[in-house]
Every structure is written in C-alpha cells, then in structure tokens.
Amino acid sequence: MKKNKQAASQYTRAELMNHAEALFAVKAEVLYGALYEAAQETFSIEEAKERINQFMKAKVKG
C-alpha cells in the first residue's frame, strides 16, 4: 500500500479573510496584517494560523 501525502488545501487571502472570525477567531484586519509581507498568494489553514500566531507575538516597532 502506497502512502500518498495529500497536500493541504490552499486558499486565497480573500477567502481566508472572508472567514477569519470563524476559522481563526480573529478579525479580518488581524489576518491581513499577518499575511501582509508574505510573497505567496495562497495559504493552507495551518500556514495562516502559524502566521497569525507570529503576528500576534511580534513586538511593536516604534
């Protein structure tokens, strides 16, 4: 039996932002900030969660 590792589903920024509160319990603005500097256009749910966690822990520059 072959083990095929299925790739995680990818979603656009807009799709994730439309469902930010349901998926991640954050407002769309938080997700926007978390994905702002990312070069890629699509993300898995796990990638987005990781970016949100990093964004929320980041120190404010000022």
Side-chain angles (χ1 to χ4, degrees), residues 1-56:
M1 179 184 227
K2 286 185 181 179
K3 285 188 179 180
N4 288 340
K5 187 174 183 180
Q6 185 175 357
S9 297
Q10 298 285 305
Y11 303 95
T12 64
R13 293 170 194 253
E15 288 174 315
L16 292 170
M17 286 177 48
N18 286 337
H19 304 286
E21 290 190 44
L23 291 170
F24 311 113
V26 298
K27 298 222 177 259
E29 293 86 356
V30 173
L31 182 60
Y32 180 85
L35 302 180
Y36 181 73
E37 292 185 350
Q40 66 206 70
E41 292 298 318
T42 60
F43 304 87
S44 70
I45 300 293
E46 286 302 315
E47 288 172 327
K49 281 182 184 178
E50 183 62 33
R51 288 185 175 275
I52 290 167
N53 287 337
Q54 289 175 353
F55 179 74
M56 297 298 275

